[in-house]
Amino acid sequence: MVPFLSEDFLLTNPTAKTLYHQHAAKMPIIDYHCHIDPKEIYEDRRFENITQLWLGGDHYKWRIMRSNGVSEYYITGDAPDREKFQKFAETLPRCIGNPMYHWCHLELKNFFGYEGVLNGNTAQQVWDLVEEKVKDPSFSARGLILQSNVAMVGTTDDPCSDLQYHKLLKQTDFPVKVCPSFRPDPALNIHKPGFAAYIAKLSRASGVDIQTAADVARALTARIEYFDEVGCRAADHGLDYVMYAEASEAQLDAALAKALKGEPLTKAEIEGYQTYLLLHCGREYARLGWAMQIHFSCFRTPNSRMFAKLGADTGHDCMAVTDSSAALHKVMDALDRDGQLPKTILYSLNPADDQWLDTLIGAYQDDTIPGKIQHGSAWWFNDNKVGMQNQLTSLGNLGILGNFVGMLTDSRSLLSYARHEYFRRILCNLLGTWVENGEYPADMEALGAITEDISFNNAKRYFNL
């Protein structure tokens, strides 16, 4: 029997072990998409206990607690931190097969030296261990990032942000790059509540008097250029589905006018406006050398009762089945025809989309950079062992796996860098298995280079670091 979480965790053959221990493990981390608050990094936030580190905003953990019948009082409610952690510890042993089980134990081992197993009976032991450890000055926000050998953090930021904390971080001696990422969803979501108020906010932030769709585009350009000055390397669009609908200037302006008055819009009006701005932003990203990330096929907050109670981003989302293939190729083609297709990373929450994504990206590669168009890392509900293996295998089958830009945390937790280790172990085991099966030569120089590139070097090049 293989012991749990040994040094060779998830590494089932000699080649995999060599690739991980001699190549992947030593590489720094580029976490190019996450939801860490830059204020926490600048202020070097300290944590009092493991609940603050783990449960404060992690809806992955909230979700499994609900699935175990835990009262909301212990999840997002006012229960004491110790009691919340107890309920989570009692839930975790039930999560066999869930990556959360592995992530939690990797974090406890890597950051706190805990070699045991977390459950209801050991919760007090773990609580006391962490409570003592976090008294050490190295267990601050910056300290945890440095302990994880992180070279770059890509935060997710609203276009109206003044990026105050990114600017302040540049004035410190903190050696890790903390780069903003442009997330313009509120300006594109013409059909969602709060749109009119957001456009007013965007007008103030950009200095553009917004009366027309072209004004919205100019305002976004102003903010894109501001972000670029502060070191932005990427943008991110979170779409329910990818759309493509052409609309005239008059139609766009009429739709905007209706939305600003709170009037309902047709699907054609919504999609025409969104398409116009998505293409506009893409051209701006290409001009500045940014990468454009597009996330889609997520059904957000289907539970109306819990949305009314807790709001968005609380662990109530799920996969959506959408047909985005036809529209996505039209978006990319419209940009490519004019030589304005930026570096692009595509993520679908539905794993059924893996193969068509891998064939689509091959249709738009060019000689500007290897792997210009990327199939992004297995996202959200897919960032488990099987999901990662499937994404890597599909990309290997239909594209060039060696040019992949690798893993990201997409997390709000400063301990989540253990997910990069998890990914690297899965990657090395997959590559090692292919070698051991005689499907690729045992050329350790080539294999080591591929491993190090996917772990770090490709992303460093891709994001101009």
Side-chain angles (χ1 to χ4, degrees), residues 82 228 291:
R82 175 65 184 85
D228 191 65

Side-chain angles (χ1 to χ4, degrees), residues 37-183:
D37 185 347
K39 180 181 179 181
E40 288 190 0
I41 302 175
Y42 173 70
E43 295 181 346
D44 206 16
R45 181 185 173 187
R46 301 295 302 274
F47 301 86
E48 297 176 1
N49 55 57
I50 194 168
T51 297
Q52 291 182 10
L53 278 165
W54 264 10
L55 300 176
D58 191 341
H59 52 75
Y60 284 81
K61 293 185 177 71
W62 295 351
R63 190 179 182 96
I64 65 169
M65 292 171 75
R66 294 188 188 109
S67 296
N68 202 40
V70 175
S71 166
E72 200 67 30
Y73 171 70
Y74 298 102
I75 303 171
T76 59
D78 295 328
D81 283 354
R82 175 65 184 85
E83 293 180 21
K84 288 184 175 183
F85 179 65
Q86 183 68 35
K87 293 296 184 182
F88 178 76
E90 292 169 358
T91 295
L92 193 60
R94 311 289 298 178
C95 296
I96 185 169
N98 191 306
M100 181 64 67
Y101 194 84
H102 293 153
W103 295 342
C104 288
H105 286 96
L106 282 172
E107 291 171 16
L108 290 173
K109 180 179 180 181
N110 293 351
F111 290 99
F112 304 105
Y114 183 69
E115 300 280 353
V117 174
L118 176 60
N119 55 45
N121 294 327
T122 61
Q124 186 63 51
Q125 178 188 8
V126 172
W127 176 272
D128 292 341
L129 171 66
V130 173
E131 197 172 41
E132 184 62 31
K133 285 273 190 179
V134 295
K135 295 177 182 177
D136 188 308
S138 66
F139 281 85
S140 63
R142 294 192 208 177
L144 292 168
I145 293 171
L146 291 172
Q147 284 184 56
S148 300
N149 194 22
V150 177
M152 179 267 203
V153 175
T155 61
T156 302
D157 304 275
D158 187 279
C160 297
S161 171
D162 62 7
L163 304 180
Q164 172 189 3
Y165 295 103
H166 293 87
K167 290 180 174 181
L168 290 171
L169 276 163
K170 289 178 180 293
Q171 300 171 22
T172 71
D173 60 358
F174 188 52
V176 179
K177 288 183 180 295
V178 182
C179 301
S181 297
F182 191 73
R183 184 72 177 253

Side-chain angles (χ1 to χ4, degrees), residues 351-360 375 394 397-398:
D353 293 339
D354 280 357
Q355 293 185 329
W356 73 254
L357 276 174
D358 286 320
T359 58
L360 179 69
H375 178 186
S394 178
N397 285 340
L398 298 168

Side-chain angles (χ1 to χ4, degrees), residues 298-336:
C298 177
F299 187 177
R300 297 187 182 275
T301 59
N303 187 328
S304 58
R305 177 180 60 84
M306 292 305 290
F307 177 67
K309 180 178 180 180
L310 298 177
D313 301 322
T314 56
H316 294 92
D317 305 317
C318 59
M319 292 180 189
V321 178
T322 67
D323 183 5
S324 294
S325 58
L328 182 54
H329 98 258
K330 289 179 180 178
V331 168
M332 296 180 71
D333 200 59
L335 294 168
D336 184 73

Side-chain angles (χ1 to χ4, degrees), residues 197-210:
Y198 185 81
I199 292 300
K201 182 180 178 182
L202 178 62
S203 178
R204 292 191 296 271
S206 64
V208 175
D209 179 21
I210 297 177

